[in-house]
Every structure is written in C-alpha cells, then in structure tokens.
Amino acid sequence: MRAAATPQKRRKILPKAQRRQQLIEATIACIARYGLASTTMHMVTREAGLSVGIANLHFKTKENLLRETLRYVAEEYHKGQIEIMRGSEADNLSDRLTALLNFQLGRGVTQRQKMSVWFAYYGEVGARPVYQKIVSAWDRAAARELEFLFASVIREGGYTDIDPGELAIGYAALIDGLHLALLVTPRELTKQSAKKIGRDFLQRAFPNHI
Amino acid sequence: MRAAATPQKRRKILPKAQRRQQLIEATIACIARYGLASTTMHMVTREAGLSVGIANLHFKTKENLLRETLRYVAEEYHKGQIEIMRGSEADNLSDRLTALLNFQLGRGVTQRQKMSVWFAYYGEVGARPVYQKIVSAWDRAAARELEFLFASVIREGGYTDIDPGELAIGYAALIDGLHLALLVTPRELTKQSAKKIGRDFLQRAFPNHI
DNA sequence: CTAGAATGAATGATCATTCATTCTCAAGTT
DNA sequence: AACTTGAGAATGAATGATCATTCATTCTAG
C-alpha cells in the first residue's frame, strides 16, 4: 500500500546565491537545535527541504558550509553593532550607547538561536585556526569602532582616568559574558536584568551620560 | 626487519580510580588540542598510553567519559574560586577580591587548556541538557558565594545603591568574557590587561577597597 | 532543445563499541 | 622463599553503525 498523499514535491531551480543562503540558514537552525558536533549534512539538507547532493554542488564540502555559516553569523552580528555605533550625525552619544545595549541584548527567539551558533563555534576556535581568523577579524573591527565611540563620550563628558581601549574590551567582554549566562543559565537571568547590568556598567564609567 | 627497540611496554594494573583520572586527563588534553567535535576514543586512549577497550571498561560509553570530564573541570574551577571567596577569617575583604581576580585570570598554559575545554562544552550546552545541568549547578553555587562576598564588601564600605546579586552576575560575566577574549583573540589582550580590566571594574564599584 | 541545477542510491572512510583472549598480582599453599 | 592460582584488569582485532562525498541520471526553464 502506498502512503496516501505525499504532495509530490516539484523540483525547483533557483539561482546559486539563493540556494547558498537557504543552506546557510538551515545550518544555523540545525546547529542551534542539535549542536555543532552532531549536525550532519543529511539534517541540514532535510531542514532546507532539498537533497543531500545539493550541498556538494554549492559548497563542495561540509567544512566549507560550516565556515561560510560562521562568516555569515559573525558578519550579521558585527555589522549590526557597527552600524549603530556609527549612528547618524543627529542622535547624541547617550542615545547611541542605549541603542547599542538594546541591540546587543535585545530581540526574541531568533537571537537565542544565533547565540547558540555563536558559542558553538567559539568552542571550536581553540582547535580550528580558520574559525579564529574569521571571528577575530570581525571582533577587531567592532572593537575599534567601540573604542572610537567611547573616546567620543570621554571627550564630551570630560571624564578623566579612563582608557577608551580598555573600557571597550571590558564592555565587550561583559556583553559576551551576559550572552553566555543567558544561554547557560537562562533561569537565573532575564534579558531585563542583563540589560540593567550592562547599563550599570556604562553608568559607573560615564555617570553624566547614562 | 623489526623496528629497532620499541621498549615493549609492560602491561600495568592499577586501581579503578586512578585509571579513570588518567583517562579524564587525556580527554582534557585531546579536547584542548583537537576540539570536542573531533576527539575520538582512539585519540584519548592513545594519549593515555592505553588500549581502546579500556574506555569501555571504566566509562562504559564515550558520552559518559565526556560527561565525567566536564564534571571534573567544572568542579575544579569552581571549587578553587569558592575556596578563595570564603578565605580565612584572618585576611581582609580587599585581599580576597584581589586573590579571586588573580585566580580567575592567573596561571599559565594549564589554564589555557582548561579554558578551551570549558568553552568547548559551553558550545554544546544549547543542545545537551546534561551539560547544562552540570555547568549551571556549579555556576549557581559560585554565584551565591560571590554575592555573599560582595554583600560583605558593600556593608563594610557603606556603599549605597549597589545590588550585590546584580553586581555578582556582572562581574562573573566580565570574567567569562575576558576568558573568551583571551581564547579567541590572544593577540589583542594580554593576561596583564585582562587583570587590569577586572580590577578597574571592581574599583568603580568599590572605590574604597581597591 | 539543452545547459546546468537537482536528485539520491551507492561508496568508502571513520569511529564507537564489543568481547574472546592475554596478562598481572595478591593471596594462598607447600 | 618459591610456586600456584584465580579474579578481574587490560588488550586490540573485529563488527556494525553513521556519515560525508560521489556521480550517473532526471528534471527544469529559458
């Protein structure tokens, strides 16, 4: 007996760029759900609703797909940050700081999925130089931008005894740590509290701005 | 022709506890070097200088070995912290804070190996509830202790407007973030700078103590 | 009509796990 | 002191499962 009505999926041909995007998103979903270690090509292609062979066609190897996925996630996160930090000429520095914090600790479920992926790769960074390169390149770019923003705030506020570079590293570390806490012990920390903690950090450094 | 002088390793029988310890340490070394994903049982047992079957004898499955290894690393790190935070009646609070910072960001190569392992597991936490349980149990214990220490400092220093619980989460997050930065972008951050950043955080919160 | 996108069964490599066999050593025996 | 013995620690070749990758074939759309 045949299974009743498998709607007989019709094969669809799409431009390369679109398929690549589709596969990268399926990879993100799988890593978030099953972990980097146990994500297989079958899972990814099934998630994308495509056949196994497609992966080879667009990415050649699994290693390539994973690398491109990391590149995608890293770029998205850091570009968002950088855009906010640069801001428009109009908005003042206080608002930019607040907007940055809201971006870094905001968003809904999507954000959680991205966080999982993010840390899955961090975990392998020690063993895979390629991952380290991708991540650290973006990290450097974001760090420079943050340092620049902090330097402006320091100048405007006339704060003394603050090194913008060091403070930027500290703030970035705090945000990373809060992400980790939200991922590992979500019961102990709400996104609200996390934001407050980030805000308090900035307030102690820039009391006139926050 | 026979290979010259393989010293013909003599089989040695040791108590269970010792072998388990040996295998856990070999697992740590392998994870740090090759990553959690690509660590195999062959690698671990070769690293330990033993045969493959030994793993089954002492841990039954790979999953068990990995779980016990995480338990071991988590326990070691958090117990060390907690011990310092409790301190002896004698030493004052300022010294305890400094000692804690030195412990968390101190040590040499060993520490780096442990850090790799630590984050390798964090990366899988999203996908493996067991890991989450182990890590979060210890995290909670350390967080309570830190909150208690901070509360003492706040009382002694008469600081107002500081919630010890929130500050503890912030400080712990900062330290985690600094570990991550040391792992991912070691070129951008020395252990010295990391310590200074941690110290600055405490100083802004407790100006009379640091 | 055809270039090339998409498929998925087949292939071969890798790896966790098993278990029949070997070896060790402490307790017992002479 | 020398020898025996058996409980169980340790071994590693063999097994079977999983998975990435391949490629002959099918299908699509301009």
Side-chain angles (χ1 to χ4, degrees):
Chain A
M1 208 208 315
R2 267 205 151 287
T6 317
Q8 183 57 2
K9 209 167 152 301
R10 194 165 148 72
R11 189 191 283 190
K12 196 82 175 49
I13 289 181
L14 288 176
K16 270 192 173 283
Q18 203 167 333
R19 281 274 181 258
R20 287 174 62 94
Q21 176 67 18
Q22 194 182 356
L23 286 167
I24 284 175
E25 269 159 20
T27 306
I28 291 171
C30 287
I31 292 175
R33 204 168 325 134
Y34 310 111
L36 184 54
S38 45
T39 289
T40 71
M41 293 306 269
H42 271 88
M43 285 177 190
V44 171
T45 50
R46 191 180 336 119
E47 172 78 27
L50 297 168
S51 66
V52 265
I54 198 86
N56 174 252
L57 188 62
H58 292 290
F59 289 96
K60 199 68 193 163
T61 66
K62 183 185 184 182
E63 187 55 36
N64 270 333
L65 173 59
L66 293 178
R67 199 168 45 235
E68 292 308 311
T69 301
L70 174 58
R71 219 188 288 280
Y72 176 81
V73 174
E75 184 173 321
E76 188 187 56
Y77 179 65
H78 281 119
K79 268 193 177 166
Q81 270 188 211
I82 289 172
E83 201 175 318
I84 289 170
M85 288 190 275
R86 291 207 176 129
S88 58
E89 294 286 329
D91 48 307
N92 62 41
L93 296 176
S94 296
D95 290 346
R96 259 185 244 183
L97 291 176
T98 304
L100 182 62
L101 192 63
N102 283 331
F103 174 81
Q104 290 169 325
L105 295 171
R107 308 297 172 79
V109 184
T110 315
Q111 199 71 359
R112 185 178 164 81
Q113 200 182 51
K114 297 283 166 59
M115 258 162 43
S116 293
V117 175
W118 199 242
F119 285 108
Y121 280 98
Y122 268 139
E124 290 289 306
V125 152
R128 309 217 190 185
V130 198
Y131 294 172
Q132 168 144 2
K133 259 194 175 168
I134 295 171
V135 171
S136 67
W138 280 106
D139 264 13
R140 241 195 311 278
R144 259 200 304 275
E145 203 64 37
L146 186 59
E147 181 175 340
F148 184 78
L149 175 62
F150 280 180
S152 302
V153 175
I154 289 169
R155 206 175 323 116
E156 187 177 277
Y159 304 107
T160 53
D161 275 344
I162 302 186
D163 176 306
E166 271 180 3
L167 194 71
I169 293 176
Y171 177 75
L174 179 71
I175 298 298
D176 277 349
L178 289 172
H179 280 157
L180 207 49
L182 286 170
L183 186 71
V184 178
T185 54
R187 291 298 167 96
E188 314 287 319
L189 181 66
T190 66
K191 231 169 279 184
Q192 302 310 325
S193 308
K195 270 190 199 173
K196 175 147 191 330
I197 290 167
R199 169 171 293 271
D200 286 350
F201 179 95
L202 291 175
Q203 189 164 40
R204 277 195 292 272
F206 307 131
N208 307 328
H209 279 83
I210 302 287
Chain B
M1 208 204 326
R2 268 208 150 284
T6 317
Q8 183 57 3
K9 210 166 152 298
R10 195 164 145 71
R11 190 191 282 189
K12 196 80 176 57
I13 288 181
L14 289 175
K16 270 191 172 283
Q18 204 167 332
R19 281 273 180 258
R20 287 174 62 95
Q21 176 68 18
Q22 194 182 354
L23 285 168
I24 285 174
E25 270 160 20
T27 306
I28 291 171
C30 286
I31 292 175
R33 204 167 325 134
Y34 310 111
L36 185 54
S38 45
T39 290
T40 71
M41 294 307 270
H42 271 88
M43 285 177 189
V44 171
T45 49
R46 191 179 336 118
E47 173 79 26
L50 297 167
S51 66
V52 265
I54 198 87
N56 174 252
L57 188 63
H58 293 289
F59 289 95
K60 200 66 194 163
T61 66
K62 183 184 184 182
E63 186 56 35
N64 270 333
L65 174 58
L66 292 178
R67 200 169 42 236
E68 292 307 310
T69 301
L70 174 59
R71 219 188 287 279
Y72 176 81
V73 174
E75 184 173 321
E76 188 187 57
Y77 179 65
H78 280 119
K79 269 193 178 166
Q81 270 187 212
I82 290 172
E83 202 176 316
I84 289 171
M85 289 190 274
R86 291 205 176 130
S88 60
E89 294 286 329
D91 48 303
N92 62 41
L93 295 177
S94 295
D95 289 347
R96 258 186 244 183
L97 291 176
T98 303
L100 181 62
L101 192 62
N102 283 331
F103 174 81
Q104 289 169 327
L105 295 171
R107 306 299 171 78
V109 184
T110 315
Q111 199 71 0
R112 184 178 164 80
Q113 199 182 54
K114 296 283 167 59
M115 258 162 42
S116 294
V117 175
W118 198 243
F119 285 109
Y121 281 99
Y122 267 139
E124 289 289 303
V125 151
R128 309 218 190 184
V130 197
Y131 294 171
Q132 167 144 2
K133 259 194 175 169
I134 295 171
V135 171
S136 68
W138 280 106
D139 264 12
R140 240 195 312 278
R144 259 200 303 274
E145 203 65 38
L146 187 59
E147 181 176 340
F148 184 78
L149 175 62
F150 280 0
S152 302
V153 176
I154 289 168
R155 205 176 321 116
E156 188 178 275
Y159 303 107
T160 53
D161 276 344
I162 302 188
D163 178 306
E166 271 180 4
L167 194 71
I169 293 176
Y171 176 75
L174 179 71
I175 297 298
D176 278 348
L178 288 172
H179 280 156
L180 208 48
L182 287 169
L183 186 69
V184 178
T185 53
R187 292 298 167 94
E188 314 288 319
L189 182 67
T190 65
K191 232 170 278 184
Q192 301 312 324
S193 307
K195 270 190 199 173
K196 174 145 191 331
I197 290 168
R199 169 171 291 271
D200 286 350
F201 179 94
L202 292 175
Q203 189 165 39
R204 277 195 291 272
F206 307 131
N208 307 327
H209 279 83
I210 303 288

